[in-house]
């Protein structure tokens, strides 16, 4: 009599085999407060995975992949890959397609993609602005990542009050549009602020 073959279930979309411990800061815990990809606790690590953040090791893997490999992972539902794929498209001069990929990742549940959108707002990218970068950091904040405000203030040091107000207004407008799009696509929206 043959033994029954054990079939392991396929991984859930957006889940990477990385253990939560890949996200958890093990030395100099005070640095965990500053680094968006690091978690101070296992609960925060689970939050990072839930909202499409790659671990540092996973990010290094994704950075080494070709645009074709990233596109395939993105099409398969890998949210961190979709965010990096979008950024790499922008780096290749495919500005509209790249930003569209990153925004699609945000709508699909990746708060991390808002960070990549902010980072794509560089002087060498057409139609970019400091206000645009601040807008995407503020969007990540509205989506529940309190570390995004620290990142915004760290990187956008020369914004004046009027520019900050414009970024806040644009971020709220984007947030509303994302909620509408989630509703149209019947994508659930979970309010779970970063621990």
């Amino acid at each position: 009599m043959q033994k029954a073959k054990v079939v392991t279930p396929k991984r859930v979309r957006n889940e990477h085999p990385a253990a939560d411990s890949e996200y958890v800061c093990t030395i100099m815990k005070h640095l965990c407060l500053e680094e968006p990809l690091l978690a101070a606790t296992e609960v925060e690590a689970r939050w990072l995975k839930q909202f499409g953040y790659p671990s540092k090791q996973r990010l290094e893997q994704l950075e080494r992949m070709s645009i074709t490999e990233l596109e395939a992972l993105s099409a398969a539902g890998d949210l961190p890959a979709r965010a990096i794929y979008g950024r790499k498209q922008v780096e290749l001069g495919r500005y509209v397609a790249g930003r569209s990929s990153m925004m699609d990742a945000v709508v699909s549940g990746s708060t991390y993609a808002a960070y990549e959108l902010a980072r794509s707002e560089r002087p060498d990218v057409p139609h970019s602005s400091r206000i645009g970068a601040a807008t995407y950091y503020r969007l990540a904040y509205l989506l529940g990542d309190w570390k995004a405000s620290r990142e915004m203030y760290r990187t956008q040091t020369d914004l004046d009050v009027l520019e900050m107000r414009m970024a806040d207004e644009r971020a709220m407008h984007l947030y509303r549009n994302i909620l509408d799009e989630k509703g149209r696509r019947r994508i659930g929206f979970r309010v779970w602020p970063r621990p």
Side-chain angles (χ1 to χ4, degrees):
M1 185 175 207
Q2 278 187 319
K3 281 187 173 181
K5 187 176 179 181
V6 177
V7 179
T8 357
K10 290 184 179 178
R11 292 198 174 278
V12 178
R13 269 180 17 159
N14 305 331
E15 185 179 317
H16 182 263
D20 291 347
S21 61
E22 279 189 11
Y23 293 88
V24 178
C25 193
T26 54
I27 55 173
M28 294 192 285
K29 291 278 187 184
H30 65 282
L31 295 179
C32 296
L33 291 175
E34 302 302 323
E35 176 54 52
L37 294 181
L38 290 178
T41 65
E42 292 287 330
V43 173
E44 187 178 4
R46 283 193 295 279
W47 186 92
L48 289 168
K49 283 176 76 171
Q50 176 75 32
F51 291 98
Y53 289 71
S55 66
K56 287 211 173 235
Q57 295 89 339
R58 174 75 168 139
L59 182 59
E60 288 170 10
Q61 276 181 337
L62 293 169
E63 293 288 358
R64 288 191 300 268
M65 290 182 182
S66 70
I67 194 87
T68 308
E69 291 171 309
L70 288 169
E71 183 178 23
L73 285 173
S74 174
D78 185 317
L79 291 180
R82 191 174 303 164
I84 302 304
Y85 171 61
R87 178 174 42 81
K88 287 199 173 192
Q89 284 181 298
V90 168
E91 289 169 359
L92 292 171
R94 302 176 199 156
Y95 308 118
V96 174
R99 286 188 172 144
S100 178
S101 292
M102 288 183 278
M103 186 53 74
D104 186 63
V106 171
V107 171
S108 297
S110 174
T111 302
Y112 173 72
Y115 278 86
E116 289 295 352
L117 277 160
R119 292 175 186 140
S120 75
E121 293 279 331
R122 301 184 325 237
D124 60 320
V125 175
H127 310 293
S128 290
S129 69
R130 297 172 311 149
I131 296 170
T135 297
Y136 292 121
Y137 284 125
R138 187 62 85 198
L139 176 62
Y141 178 81
L142 291 171
L143 291 169
D145 187 352
W146 57 267
K147 285 187 181 182
S149 66
R150 288 176 182 236
E151 194 71 7
M152 182 185 70
Y153 289 116
R154 187 182 68 75
T155 61
Q156 307 302 312
T157 54
D158 52 353
L159 290 177
D160 63 32
V161 174
L162 178 61
E163 290 171 320
M164 290 300 294
R165 193 184 81 202
M166 289 172 69
D168 284 346
E169 289 170 359
R170 288 180 184 181
M172 186 54 75
H173 182 73
L174 275 174
Y175 182 74
R176 253 190 318 246
N177 288 345
I178 287 166
L179 293 180
D180 288 346
E181 186 62 24
K182 282 178 172 287
R184 274 193 291 278
R185 292 195 206 175
R186 297 178 187 229
I187 298 172
F189 181 71
R190 184 174 180 196
V191 178
W192 181 19
R194 185 176 191 153

